[in-house]
mmCIF file with all atom_site columns, all heavy atoms in Angstrom:
data_model
loop_
_atom_site.group_PDB
_atom_site.id
_atom_site.type_symbol
_atom_site.label_atom_id
_atom_site.label_alt_id
_atom_site.label_comp_id
_atom_site.label_asym_id
_atom_site.label_entity_id
_atom_site.label_seq_id
_atom_site.pdbx_PDB_ins_code
_atom_site.Cartn_x
_atom_site.Cartn_y
_atom_site.Cartn_z
_atom_site.occupancy
_atom_site.B_iso_or_equiv
_atom_site.pdbx_formal_charge
_atom_site.auth_seq_id
_atom_site.auth_comp_id
_atom_site.auth_asym_id
_atom_site.auth_atom_id
_atom_site.pdbx_PDB_model_num
ATOM 1  N N   . ALA A 1 23 ? -203.726 48.256 -63.382 1.00 94.00 ? 23 ALA A N   1
ATOM 2  C CA  . ALA A 1 23 ? -203.339 47.641 -62.109 1.00 94.00 ? 23 ALA A CA  1
ATOM 3  C C   . ALA A 1 23 ? -201.902 47.973 -61.761 1.00 94.00 ? 23 ALA A C   1
ATOM 4  O O   . ALA A 1 23 ? -201.577 48.276 -60.603 1.00 94.00 ? 23 ALA A O   1
ATOM 5  C CB  . ALA A 1 23 ? -203.518 46.115 -62.185 1.00 94.00 ? 23 ALA A CB  1
ATOM 6  N N   . ALA A 1 24 ? -201.020 47.929 -62.760 1.00 95.00 ? 24 ALA A N   1
ATOM 7  C CA  . ALA A 1 24 ? -199.619 48.282 -62.523 1.00 95.00 ? 24 ALA A CA  1
ATOM 8  C C   . ALA A 1 24 ? -199.469 49.732 -62.120 1.00 95.00 ? 24 ALA A C   1
ATOM 9  O O   . ALA A 1 24 ? -198.732 50.051 -61.159 1.00 95.00 ? 24 ALA A O   1
ATOM 10 C CB  . ALA A 1 24 ? -198.792 47.982 -63.779 1.00 95.00 ? 24 ALA A CB  1
ATOM 11 N N   . VAL A 1 25 ? -200.161 50.614 -62.804 1.00 96.00 ? 25 VAL A N   1
ATOM 12 C CA  . VAL A 1 25 ? -200.074 52.047 -62.463 1.00 96.00 ? 25 VAL A CA  1
ATOM 13 C C   . VAL A 1 25 ? -200.656 52.292 -61.054 1.00 96.00 ? 25 VAL A C   1
ATOM 14 O O   . VAL A 1 25 ? -200.048 53.016 -60.257 1.00 96.00 ? 25 VAL A O   1
ATOM 15 C CB  . VAL A 1 25 ? -200.823 52.907 -63.527 1.00 96.00 ? 25 VAL A CB  1
ATOM 16 C CG1 . VAL A 1 25 ? -200.952 54.329 -63.076 1.00 96.00 ? 25 VAL A CG1 1
ATOM 17 C CG2 . VAL A 1 25 ? -200.090 52.815 -64.862 1.00 96.00 ? 25 VAL A CG2 1
ATOM 18 N N   . ALA A 1 26 ? -201.791 51.672 -60.774 1.00 97.00 ? 26 ALA A N   1
ATOM 19 C CA  . ALA A 1 26 ? -202.388 51.841 -59.445 1.00 97.00 ? 26 ALA A CA  1
ATOM 20 C C   . ALA A 1 26 ? -201.507 51.224 -58.366 1.00 97.00 ? 26 ALA A C   1
ATOM 21 O O   . ALA A 1 26 ? -201.360 51.808 -57.283 1.00 97.00 ? 26 ALA A O   1
ATOM 22 C CB  . ALA A 1 26 ? -203.777 51.193 -59.420 1.00 97.00 ? 26 ALA A CB  1
ATOM 23 N N   . GLY A 1 27 ? -200.874 50.105 -58.666 1.00 97.00 ? 27 GLY A N   1
ATOM 24 C CA  . GLY A 1 27 ? -199.976 49.480 -57.713 1.00 97.00 ? 27 GLY A CA  1
ATOM 25 C C   . GLY A 1 27 ? -198.787 50.355 -57.403 1.00 97.00 ? 27 GLY A C   1
ATOM 26 O O   . GLY A 1 27 ? -198.400 50.523 -56.230 1.00 97.00 ? 27 GLY A O   1
ATOM 27 N N   . VAL A 1 28 ? -198.190 50.904 -58.414 1.00 97.00 ? 28 VAL A N   1
ATOM 28 C CA  . VAL A 1 28 ? -197.025 51.816 -58.220 1.00 97.00 ? 28 VAL A CA  1
ATOM 29 C C   . VAL A 1 28 ? -197.463 53.069 -57.473 1.00 97.00 ? 28 VAL A C   1
ATOM 30 O O   . VAL A 1 28 ? -196.771 53.550 -56.573 1.00 97.00 ? 28 VAL A O   1
ATOM 31 C CB  . VAL A 1 28 ? -196.350 52.140 -59.576 1.00 97.00 ? 28 VAL A CB  1
ATOM 32 C CG1 . VAL A 1 28 ? -195.327 53.270 -59.423 1.00 97.00 ? 28 VAL A CG1 1
ATOM 33 C CG2 . VAL A 1 28 ? -195.695 50.904 -60.145 1.00 97.00 ? 28 VAL A CG2 1
ATOM 34 N N   . GLY A 1 29 ? -198.633 53.594 -57.850 1.00 98.00 ? 29 GLY A N   1
ATOM 35 C CA  . GLY A 1 29 ? -199.147 54.787 -57.157 1.00 98.00 ? 29 GLY A CA  1
ATOM 36 C C   . GLY A 1 29 ? -199.425 54.497 -55.684 1.00 98.00 ? 29 GLY A C   1
ATOM 37 O O   . GLY A 1 29 ? -199.100 55.299 -54.803 1.00 98.00 ? 29 GLY A O   1
ATOM 38 N N   . ALA A 1 30 ? -200.013 53.338 -55.424 1.00 98.00 ? 30 ALA A N   1
ATOM 39 C CA  . ALA A 1 30 ? -200.289 52.942 -54.025 1.00 98.00 ? 30 ALA A CA  1
ATOM 40 C C   . ALA A 1 30 ? -198.991 52.733 -53.256 1.00 98.00 ? 30 ALA A C   1
ATOM 41 O O   . ALA A 1 30 ? -198.876 53.137 -52.081 1.00 98.00 ? 30 ALA A O   1
ATOM 42 C CB  . ALA A 1 30 ? -201.147 51.673 -53.977 1.00 98.00 ? 30 ALA A CB  1
ATOM 43 N N   . ALA A 1 31 ? -198.003 52.151 -53.899 1.00 98.00 ? 31 ALA A N   1
ATOM 44 C CA  . ALA A 1 31 ? -196.693 51.951 -53.246 1.00 98.00 ? 31 ALA A CA  1
ATOM 45 C C   . ALA A 1 31 ? -196.035 53.279 -52.892 1.00 98.00 ? 31 ALA A C   1
ATOM 46 O O   . ALA A 1 31 ? -195.498 53.457 -51.806 1.00 98.00 ? 31 ALA A O   1
ATOM 47 C CB  . ALA A 1 31 ? -195.783 51.120 -54.136 1.00 98.00 ? 31 ALA A CB  1
ATOM 48 N N   . ALA A 1 32 ? -196.075 54.199 -53.845 1.00 98.00 ? 32 ALA A N   1
ATOM 49 C CA  . ALA A 1 32 ? -195.507 55.538 -53.579 1.00 98.00 ? 32 ALA A CA  1
ATOM 50 C C   . ALA A 1 32 ? -196.263 56.247 -52.464 1.00 98.00 ? 32 ALA A C   1
ATOM 51 O O   . ALA A 1 32 ? -195.655 56.893 -51.607 1.00 98.00 ? 32 ALA A O   1
ATOM 52 C CB  . ALA A 1 32 ? -195.550 56.374 -54.873 1.00 98.00 ? 32 ALA A CB  1
ATOM 53 N N   . ALA A 1 33 ? -197.565 56.107 -52.468 1.00 98.00 ? 33 ALA A N   1
ATOM 54 C CA  . ALA A 1 33 ? -198.379 56.772 -51.436 1.00 98.00 ? 33 ALA A CA  1
ATOM 55 C C   . ALA A 1 33 ? -198.114 56.187 -50.050 1.00 98.00 ? 33 ALA A C   1
ATOM 56 O O   . ALA A 1 33 ? -198.007 56.932 -49.080 1.00 98.00 ? 33 ALA A O   1
ATOM 57 C CB  . ALA A 1 33 ? -199.864 56.654 -51.793 1.00 98.00 ? 33 ALA A CB  1
ATOM 58 N N   . THR A 1 34 ? -198.001 54.873 -49.954 1.00 98.00 ? 34 THR A N   1
ATOM 59 C CA  . THR A 1 34 ? -197.731 54.298 -48.626 1.00 98.00 ? 34 THR A CA  1
ATOM 60 C C   . THR A 1 34 ? -196.341 54.654 -48.139 1.00 98.00 ? 34 THR A C   1
ATOM 61 O O   . THR A 1 34 ? -196.155 54.922 -46.946 1.00 98.00 ? 34 THR A O   1
ATOM 62 C CB  . THR A 1 34 ? -197.927 52.753 -48.647 1.00 98.00 ? 34 THR A CB  1
ATOM 63 O OG1 . THR A 1 34 ? -197.059 52.165 -49.602 1.00 98.00 ? 34 THR A OG1 1
ATOM 64 C CG2 . THR A 1 34 ? -199.353 52.379 -48.913 1.00 98.00 ? 34 THR A CG2 1
#
Side-chain angles (χ1 to χ4, degrees):
V25 171
V28 169
T34 58

